[in-house]
Amino acid sequence: MSEFAIELRDVVKEFLTPEGNALAAVNHVTMQIKNGEFFSMLGPSGCGKTTSLRMIAGFEWPTGGEVYIDGEAQGRKPPFLRPVNTVFQSYALFQHMTVFQNVAFGLEMEHASQEDIKRRVGEALEMVRLTGMDRRYPRQLSGGQQQRVALARSLVKRPKVLLLDEPIGALDLKLRKEMQLELKSLQKEVGITFIYVTHDQGEALTMSDCIAVMNSGKVLQMGPAVEIYERPANRFVADFIGESNFLEGKVRSVTDKRAVVYIPAWEQELTGLVTNPVRVGDDVAISIRPEKIRLSDESQSNTVSLEGTVVNSTYIGSDTHVYLEVRGQPMKVWEQNRTSTLESQAFYKNGQKVRVDLIPENTLVLSRD
């Protein structure tokens, strides 16, 4: 048995445009997805994530490279011969069938015995907490319940890998957040590999053991959620995952994992952590997360402290979003509201002067690519 549930080895997928040109939707992608892992492919529309998922499922075949499932090359094997199942955003439930009939459909196509079907459908419905709803029709269920029926239908066949193509994108925000936790809990319970496609960074960070950030058909970075967020490989990843402040600069010196970067707009040097190798003279981007900046009334030790002017602030309950101008550059700072108060002096006012404290540990030096 292979260590990896799924491997994409130098996979290319080209499509012909109406003009007759070849477009690489997936461009030399290599991924290794471990057994029992919740793996997410994350990126904007058109980045190649759904095409990659469809090649794993067998709905598309690679133009170059190879897809391996449990160490076995898939070649042009059709979907029904692959040990995977797919859950689509549309659910694709049969509206004229009951929940039981929908979940049992795949087993009936395999000519399983009625006793086996009844037992396995019951187990699948119990997994997704729909016991007792087997006689209902999809129209009698909420969106979240229909989603769980689609999951049960895929799980009942006991696939080695479950592929999920933005399955909760059509749900409202509150239900989507509930389903994120349910999916993660379900994946841990059943212990099979989940491969999840999404453009929602929050979903990926909430659920994933490992994330592949994709753009223009390529994998830009792959790793655990904390690594992707805290140590992005380049500006695109930092910009796509969460919010960030960016400054353009030039590397003055490099020592071990730190670099000193001159910021022309501020006429100021900043020291930051290097995520990928850089050299003296390189043009780079400085990235600082809004929640990692501190505002104070006076300069703090071991920081670069600059004066900023409050342009606007937005109270959003758990946090206050403060928008500043610092030496002509816009900056965003998120401050957690730790004290419950209605006192007006506790909140920032437009035009207020503050000190903006930047520390090297929260300042990242990134390649611009």
Side-chain angles (χ1 to χ4, degrees):
M1 181 178 173
S2 173
E3 176 189 355
F4 303 109
I6 300 289
E7 286 185 87
L8 275 64
R9 297 184 188 173
D10 199 31
V11 169
V12 177
K13 179 61 181 179
E14 293 180 341
F15 294 100
L16 283 178
T17 66
E19 297 77 28
N21 300 318
L23 173 68
V26 175
N27 194 356
H28 297 282
V29 163
T30 294
M31 292 183 194
Q32 294 177 321
I33 302 170
K34 294 178 181 177
N35 286 296
E37 192 168 51
F38 197 122
F39 185 95
S40 290
M41 297 183 200
L42 174 68
S45 297
C47 72
K49 57 188 186 294
T50 294
T51 303
S52 298
L53 195 81
R54 289 175 62 82
M55 285 190 285
I56 295 170
F59 299 129
E60 302 281 356
W61 294 325
T63 308
E66 185 58 277
V67 174
Y68 291 79
I69 300 178
D70 201 18
E72 182 181 334
Q74 297 302 293
R76 297 202 161 207
K77 189 182 291 185
F80 64 88
L81 292 179
R82 299 188 182 203
V84 303
N85 254 336
T86 306
V87 179
F88 300 99
Q89 183 175 347
S90 63
Y91 313 144
L93 300 177
F94 298 113
Q95 296 299 312
H96 65 288
M97 292 183 179
T98 65
V99 167
F100 184 95
Q101 291 168 331
N102 266 283
V103 177
F105 184 78
L107 298 177
E108 289 174 346
M109 292 299 99
E110 294 177 349
H111 305 293
S113 69
Q114 288 302 308
E115 184 180 333
D116 195 31
I117 290 173
K118 185 175 181 180
R119 178 178 56 79
R120 287 169 64 179
V121 169
E123 289 172 354
L125 291 177
E126 186 178 353
M127 278 182 205
V128 299
R129 301 203 305 278
L130 287 177
T131 301
M133 295 192 178
D134 51 311
R135 296 169 65 182
R136 295 190 187 184
Y137 289 88
R139 65 179 177 273
Q140 297 172 314
L141 303 176
S142 68
Q145 289 169 332
Q146 291 185 53
Q147 168 67 76
R148 294 206 291 269
V149 174
L151 280 167
R153 185 178 57 187
S154 293
L155 291 169
V156 77
K157 294 186 69 176
R158 298 169 184 164
K160 289 183 179 176
V161 179
L162 188 63
L163 309 175
L164 302 108
D165 189 4
E166 304 202 50
I168 59 177
L171 303 179
D172 64 70
L173 180 61
K174 187 171 185 293
L175 185 55
R176 211 158 60 232
K177 288 186 178 298
E178 290 175 4
M179 286 302 300
Q180 289 170 15
L181 297 176
E182 285 192 20
L183 280 172
K184 180 63 176 174
S185 175
L186 180 64
Q187 189 265 336
K188 291 299 181 189
E189 183 181 330
V190 298
I192 66 174
T193 307
F194 277 30
I195 302 179
Y196 194 92
V197 160
T198 182
H199 62 271
D200 186 318
Q201 52 182 282
E203 280 184 9
L205 290 170
T206 298
M207 298 187 291
S208 310
D209 299 315
C210 187
I211 300 172
V213 181
M214 300 182 68
N215 191 40
S216 301
K218 296 182 178 180
V219 175
L220 301 186
Q221 187 174 358
M222 193 162 74
V226 64
E227 183 180 301
I228 297 287
Y229 187 84
E230 299 290 352
R231 296 293 182 267
N234 54 44
R235 177 169 179 157
F236 178 89
V237 176
D239 198 19
F240 193 79
I241 304 284
E243 298 262 5
S244 203
N245 295 288
F246 291 104
L247 298 162
E248 304 295 332
K250 189 178 288 288
V251 177
R252 283 275 175 87
S253 65
V254 183
T255 307
D256 195 23
K257 292 292 185 180
R258 295 194 178 196
V260 175
V261 178
Y262 178 72
I263 311 298
W266 282 355
E267 298 181 342
Q268 172 82 42
E269 287 184 347
L270 292 180
T271 300
L273 299 178
V274 177
T275 60
N276 274 332
V278 296
R279 295 175 296 181
V280 173
D282 283 356
D283 291 322
V284 293
I286 289 286
S287 169
I288 311 170
R289 300 287 189 190
E291 73 276 11
K292 298 183 186 298
I293 299 174
R294 295 290 172 263
L295 301 183
S296 60
D297 296 324
E298 56 186 32
S299 300
Q300 305 293 311
S301 60
N302 300 320
T303 67
V304 171
S305 189
L306 305 169
E307 185 178 79
T309 304
V310 177
V311 175
N312 200 359
S313 65
T314 305
Y315 174 83
I316 60 167
S318 60
D319 297 81
T320 295
H321 290 187
V322 187
Y323 299 88
L324 307 167
E325 185 177 279
V326 180
R327 295 187 184 178
Q329 297 295 301
M331 292 204 80
K332 301 171 287 191
V333 180
W334 303 165
E335 281 206 336
Q336 187 175 356
N337 295 322
R338 296 180 180 275
T339 304
S340 179
T341 181
L342 296 177
E343 297 296 327
S344 60
Q345 64 266 27
F347 301 99
Y348 294 99
K349 297 177 177 60
N350 293 357
Q352 180 179 343
K353 302 295 184 183
V354 294
R355 300 303 302 181
V356 181
D357 296 324
L358 310 175
I359 65 173
E361 287 74 13
N362 293 337
T363 304
L364 302 180
V365 180
L366 309 174
S367 64
R368 291 186 181 181
D369 298 334

